[in-house]
Short mmCIF file of all heavy atoms in Angstrom, two decimals:
data_model
loop_
_atom_site.label_atom_id
_atom_site.label_comp_id
_atom_site.label_asym_id
_atom_site.label_seq_id
_atom_site.Cartn_x
_atom_site.Cartn_y
_atom_site.Cartn_z
N GLU A 1311 20.20 25.92 3.95
CA GLU A 1311 19.61 26.93 4.82
C GLU A 1311 20.30 26.99 6.18
O GLU A 1311 20.45 28.06 6.77
CB GLU A 1311 18.12 26.64 5.00
CG GLU A 1311 17.27 26.77 3.75
CD GLU A 1311 17.11 28.22 3.32
OE1 GLU A 1311 17.34 29.13 4.14
OE2 GLU A 1311 16.77 28.45 2.14
N ALA A 1312 20.72 25.83 6.68
CA ALA A 1312 21.38 25.78 7.98
C ALA A 1312 22.89 26.03 7.87
O ALA A 1312 23.59 26.00 8.88
CB ALA A 1312 21.13 24.42 8.63
N LYS A 1313 23.37 26.24 6.67
CA LYS A 1313 24.80 26.48 6.41
C LYS A 1313 25.66 25.32 6.92
O LYS A 1313 26.76 25.52 7.46
CB LYS A 1313 25.26 27.82 7.00
CG LYS A 1313 24.49 29.01 6.46
CD LYS A 1313 25.03 30.34 6.94
CE LYS A 1313 26.31 30.72 6.26
NZ LYS A 1313 26.78 32.07 6.62
N LYS A 1314 25.13 24.09 6.75
CA LYS A 1314 25.91 22.91 7.13
C LYS A 1314 26.09 21.97 5.94
O LYS A 1314 26.77 20.95 6.07
CB LYS A 1314 25.24 22.17 8.29
CG LYS A 1314 25.19 22.98 9.59
CD LYS A 1314 24.58 22.19 10.73
CE LYS A 1314 25.52 21.13 11.24
NZ LYS A 1314 24.99 20.48 12.48
N ASN A 1315 25.46 22.30 4.82
CA ASN A 1315 25.63 21.43 3.67
C ASN A 1315 25.63 22.25 2.39
O ASN A 1315 25.13 23.39 2.34
CB ASN A 1315 24.57 20.35 3.61
CG ASN A 1315 23.18 20.92 3.59
OD1 ASN A 1315 22.72 21.43 2.58
ND2 ASN A 1315 22.50 20.86 4.71
N SER A 1316 26.19 21.63 1.36
CA SER A 1316 26.30 22.31 0.08
C SER A 1316 26.31 21.26 -1.02
O SER A 1316 26.58 20.08 -0.77
CB SER A 1316 27.57 23.15 0.02
OG SER A 1316 27.69 23.83 -1.21
N SER A 1317 26.01 21.69 -2.23
CA SER A 1317 26.05 20.76 -3.36
C SER A 1317 26.54 21.48 -4.60
O SER A 1317 26.43 22.71 -4.73
CB SER A 1317 24.67 20.15 -3.62
OG SER A 1317 23.75 21.14 -4.00
N LEU A 1318 27.09 20.68 -5.49
CA LEU A 1318 27.50 21.15 -6.82
C LEU A 1318 26.83 20.24 -7.84
O LEU A 1318 26.98 19.02 -7.77
CB LEU A 1318 29.02 21.08 -6.95
CG LEU A 1318 29.61 21.03 -8.38
CD1 LEU A 1318 29.22 22.24 -9.18
CD2 LEU A 1318 31.12 20.86 -8.32
N HIS A 1319 26.10 20.83 -8.74
CA HIS A 1319 25.40 20.08 -9.78
C HIS A 1319 25.90 20.52 -11.14
O HIS A 1319 25.99 21.72 -11.41
CB HIS A 1319 23.89 20.32 -9.68
CG HIS A 1319 23.09 19.60 -10.70
ND1 HIS A 1319 22.73 18.28 -10.58
CD2 HIS A 1319 22.58 20.02 -11.90
CE1 HIS A 1319 22.04 17.91 -11.63
NE2 HIS A 1319 21.94 18.94 -12.46
N ILE A 1320 26.27 19.54 -11.96
CA ILE A 1320 26.69 19.84 -13.33
C ILE A 1320 25.65 19.27 -14.29
O ILE A 1320 25.32 18.07 -14.23
CB ILE A 1320 28.08 19.26 -13.65
CG1 ILE A 1320 29.13 19.80 -12.69
CG2 ILE A 1320 28.46 19.60 -15.09
CD1 ILE A 1320 30.52 19.24 -12.90
N THR A 1321 25.13 20.10 -15.14
CA THR A 1321 24.14 19.68 -16.13
C THR A 1321 24.85 19.29 -17.42
O THR A 1321 25.76 19.98 -17.86
CB THR A 1321 23.16 20.83 -16.41
OG1 THR A 1321 22.55 21.23 -15.17
CG2 THR A 1321 22.09 20.42 -17.39
N ALA A 1322 24.41 18.17 -17.99
CA ALA A 1322 24.93 17.73 -19.29
C ALA A 1322 26.46 17.73 -19.32
O ALA A 1322 27.09 18.54 -20.00
CB ALA A 1322 24.37 18.61 -20.41
N THR A 1323 27.04 16.80 -18.57
CA THR A 1323 28.49 16.76 -18.43
C THR A 1323 29.20 16.65 -19.77
O THR A 1323 28.68 16.08 -20.75
CB THR A 1323 28.93 15.57 -17.56
OG1 THR A 1323 28.37 14.36 -18.10
CG2 THR A 1323 28.49 15.75 -16.12
N GLN A 1324 30.41 17.20 -19.79
CA GLN A 1324 31.28 17.11 -20.96
C GLN A 1324 32.61 16.51 -20.50
O GLN A 1324 32.92 16.51 -19.31
CB GLN A 1324 31.50 18.50 -21.55
CG GLN A 1324 30.22 19.18 -22.00
CD GLN A 1324 30.44 20.60 -22.47
OE1 GLN A 1324 31.55 21.12 -22.44
NE2 GLN A 1324 29.37 21.24 -22.93
N THR A 1325 33.39 16.04 -21.44
CA THR A 1325 34.68 15.43 -21.07
C THR A 1325 35.60 16.43 -20.40
O THR A 1325 36.48 16.06 -19.63
CB THR A 1325 35.37 14.83 -22.31
OG1 THR A 1325 35.49 15.83 -23.33
CG2 THR A 1325 34.57 13.64 -22.86
#
Side-chain angles (χ1 to χ4, degrees):
Chain A
E1311 294 289 341
K1313 301 185 75 174
K1314 296 183 73 172
N1315 58 75
S1316 181
S1317 65
L1318 158 60
H1319 180 81
I1320 301 178
T1321 303
T1323 54
Q1324 300 175 358
T1325 54

